Amino acid sequence: TSTCESGSSLDPVTAECADGTPTTMHGSEFDMRFVHAGSSDVMPAFERFYISFFDVDGDSADGFSVFELQAVLGAVSRMIAPTSTLEAGTFYPSEALYVMASETSGASHDFDSDPRAPVGESQGAAASFEVTGASAFRMLVGGRSAVPSQANSNFCFALVEPDLGQECPAPSS
């Protein structure tokens, strides 16, 4: 459950502090690195790679809401579908890019589909982060929650650059 430094209660629907002060969210941070097969030796930096999250959504249980959040520390860009309702922002002072569910719709993701080409609800609940010049990264998974007991969420990610409907404009003649 999220908390309010001010001591305010949480709005059960928005999971935000009722008095408008910032909400303290909870999550877990993971240090990830690419290593040579069969060893713990870190690989040299890649020019670029992508980490994409799927099924980023919110849910409501007995009138109390939870909104999933994903962030990649060190990402240089982030992409969501034009039809997505995900909130995209930047944490300060770390300048970590993040996405967070803005609805409690509980998007339905087809986990058997190709992660490079999500469609329908899957596309709207996906976000991709670009990391350059690195062979390691840190990711944060968590959320904002008004659920009074523990709220369990599944987090799904893949190291792919998915097609999120961001097409390049046709070249001008």
Side-chain angles (χ1 to χ4, degrees):
T1 304
S2 298
T3 58
C4 305
E5 188 175 328
S6 65
S8 172
S9 62
L10 291 169
D11 179 303
V13 175
T14 65
E16 294 176 330
C17 296
D19 65 0
T21 60
T23 305
T24 301
M25 297 178 274
H26 298 278
S28 297
E29 190 173 310
F30 297 89
D31 288 315
M32 311 290 274
R33 58 191 170 125
F34 295 97
V35 298
H36 290 281
S39 77
S40 59
D41 298 332
V42 177
M43 296 183 72
F46 294 99
E47 180 179 335
R48 84 175 23 88
F49 62 89
Y50 297 87
I51 179 166
S52 301
F53 294 91
F54 303 93
D55 195 31
V56 181
D57 59 5
D59 200 3
S60 183
D62 298 324
F64 295 93
S65 300
V66 61
F67 302 89
E68 293 178 359
L69 174 136
Q70 281 79 29
V72 176
L73 288 76
V76 297
S77 69
R78 165 202 54 237
M79 183 175 33
I80 58 175
T83 58
S84 178
T85 60
L86 296 177
E87 294 175 10
T90 305
F91 285 125
Y92 291 99
S94 69
E95 297 187 3
L97 302 177
Y98 72 85
V99 295
M100 185 167 55
S102 66
E103 298 178 347
T104 56
S105 61
S108 177
H109 180 73
D110 178 3
F111 289 100
D112 293 326
S113 66
D114 184 342
R116 295 168 296 177
V119 294
E121 280 187 70
S122 295
Q123 189 180 65
S128 184
F129 295 82
E130 178 186 16
V131 178
T132 60
S135 60
F137 62 95
R138 292 183 1 228
M139 66 182 195
L140 176 76
V141 296
R144 191 176 72 226
S145 174
V147 177
S149 58
Q150 181 176 347
N152 295 320
S153 292
N154 298 321
F155 296 97
C156 176
F157 67 94
L159 294 169
V160 297
E161 179 185 16
D163 178 359
L164 296 178
Q166 300 278 1
E167 297 181 19
C168 295
S172 57
S173 37

